[in-house]
């Protein structure tokens, strides 16, 4: 007697299809990721609040100082003698640019400091979309915050200086353009900060270069011979940016459109440097 052992038939299995990721990496999802990361940081709320506070508070203080000096009959400083409601209200721009620029540096350099950039680039293998998304998201946020602050500062400041030679309203020629220009300038400062953070990969280094470019270099250029200053001064980042929102111009300053083009060129240069290092260097 023989025992037959029947082996169960094993159906032929088709080759397994390669697994597809549950989610595809798209530009919209990268933007959404950067948006979520930006607002998850406490420093975002604090620094944006400081930027808004500087813009509004210093504008109101400058308008109040102008009004009090005028009412008391005291001699106005040369800088205040030709002031307008716009220039007084935007007095805090130089302080707000530091807060918004510093936050831009933190948006990118902060990830290098914590090591989170490795997870970011693992999720988005193509590196450049990460840089473009960070710059676009934060640039838009800085633009909206700065524009809102500029209009609030002007509305409050124009009430304070009402009835004085500096009085102006939104209907005056160039006022709305100046306020929008101030918001655009500060938004681009935020983008430059983002680019510097990605380029230098150091919070301290990015902030140092930002402060030097916006505040220290103009002071050093003022020490040069006068004939050189006229050729260099208008094209510095800070002075080109100021011409975007200045209400009046003279032969020593750029027009608003020329100033915008020069400042966009500086922004593009910073982004190009950041993109080159992101592609060429390990994280």
């Amino acid at each position: 007697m023989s025992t037959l052992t029947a082996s169960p038939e094993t159906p032929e299995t088709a080759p397994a299809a390669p697994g597809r990721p549950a989610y595809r990496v798209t530009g919209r999802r990268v933007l959404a990721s950067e948006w979520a990361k930006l607002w998850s940081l406490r420093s975002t709320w604090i620094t944006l609040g400081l930027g808004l506070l500087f813009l509004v508070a210093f504008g109101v203080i400058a308008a109040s100082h102008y009004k009090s000096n005028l009412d008391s009959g005291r001699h106005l400083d040369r800088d205040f003698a030709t002031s307008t409601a716009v220039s007084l209200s935007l007095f805090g721009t130089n302080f707000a640019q530091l807060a918004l620029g510093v936050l831009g540096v933190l948006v990118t350099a902060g990830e290098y400091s914590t090591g989170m950039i490795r997870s970011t680039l693992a999720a988005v293998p193509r590196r450049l979309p990460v840089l473009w998304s960070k710059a676009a998201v934060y640039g838009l946020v800085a633009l909206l915050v700065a524009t809102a602050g500029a209009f609030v500062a002007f509305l409050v400041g124009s009430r304070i200086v009402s009835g004085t030679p500096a009085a102006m309203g939104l209907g005056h020629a160039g006022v709305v353009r100046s306020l929008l220009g101030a918001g655009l300038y500060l938004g681009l400062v935020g983008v430059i900060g983002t680019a510097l953070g990605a380029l230098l990969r150091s919070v301290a280094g990015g902030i140092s270069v930002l402060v030097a470019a916006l505040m220290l270099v103009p002071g050093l250029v003022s020490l040069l011979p006068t004939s050189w200053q006229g050729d260099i001064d208008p094209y510095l980042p800070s002075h080109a940016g100021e011409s975007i929102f200045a209400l009046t111009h003279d032969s020593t300053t750029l027009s608003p459109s020329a100033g915008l083009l020069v400042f966009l060129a500086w922004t593009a240069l910073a982004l190009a440097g950041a993109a080159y290092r992101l592609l060429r260097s390990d994280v």
Side-chain angles (χ1 to χ4, degrees):
M1 178 173 135
S2 61
T3 305
L4 299 175
T5 304
S7 59
E9 293 185 1
T10 303
E12 294 184 1
T13 57
R20 298 179 62 186
Y23 297 99
R24 293 177 58 244
V25 177
T26 64
R28 183 176 61 84
R29 285 178 173 146
V30 176
L31 285 169
S33 172
E34 295 303 329
W35 177 269
K37 284 193 288 186
L38 177 65
W39 293 110
S40 65
L41 299 174
R42 186 186 304 172
S43 59
T44 299
W45 299 90
I46 295 173
T47 315
L48 284 177
L50 286 175
L52 187 61
L53 177 64
F54 291 158
L55 190 55
V56 175
F58 281 102
V60 172
I61 290 171
S64 301
H65 179 71
Y66 174 87
K67 176 71 171 177
S68 63
N69 282 353
L70 206 63
D71 290 344
S72 63
R74 284 180 288 184
H75 178 70
L76 291 173
D77 296 337
R78 185 179 63 179
D79 294 337
F80 276 93
T82 58
S83 295
T84 64
V86 172
S87 62
L88 292 170
S89 300
L90 297 180
F91 186 79
T93 304
N94 288 335
F95 303 96
Q97 70 180 358
L98 292 180
L100 297 177
V102 165
L103 182 55
V105 174
L106 291 173
V107 166
T108 47
E111 287 202 29
Y112 285 95
S113 300
T114 61
M116 187 178 177
I117 190 64
R118 298 186 183 91
S119 300
T120 299
L121 296 181
V124 188
R126 295 177 59 192
R127 296 184 174 190
L128 289 184
V130 174
L131 176 62
W132 307 145
S133 298
K134 287 181 181 294
V137 167
Y138 180 62
L140 178 61
V141 170
L143 169 66
L144 295 176
V145 170
T147 302
F151 274 90
V152 170
F154 176 78
L155 292 175
V156 177
S158 61
R159 279 183 172 272
I160 295 174
V161 299
S162 178
T164 69
M168 300 183 82
L170 286 174
H172 281 72
V175 170
V176 173
R177 191 266 308 159
S178 294
L179 299 178
L180 292 176
L184 179 58
Y185 167 68
L186 292 174
L188 290 174
V189 168
V191 174
I192 290 177
T194 304
L196 290 177
L199 174 62
L200 300 174
R201 301 183 176 184
S202 164
V203 174
I207 293 174
S208 298
V209 172
L210 180 75
V211 172
L214 296 178
M215 305 189 74
L216 298 184
V217 172
L220 294 176
V221 171
S222 66
L223 301 177
L224 296 175
T226 306
S227 58
W228 291 15
Q229 292 181 31
D231 296 330
I232 299 175
D233 213 47
Y235 301 97
L236 296 176
S238 56
H239 291 166
E242 288 174 4
S243 66
I244 300 174
F245 58 87
L247 194 61
T248 58
H249 298 82
D250 54 36
S251 59
T252 63
T253 60
L254 299 175
S255 65
S257 56
L260 177 59
L261 289 176
V262 171
F263 200 71
L264 285 174
W266 283 110
T267 306
L269 181 63
L271 285 172
Y276 180 82
R277 187 170 188 196
L278 188 60
L279 289 175
R280 297 292 180 178
S281 303
D282 294 332
V283 297

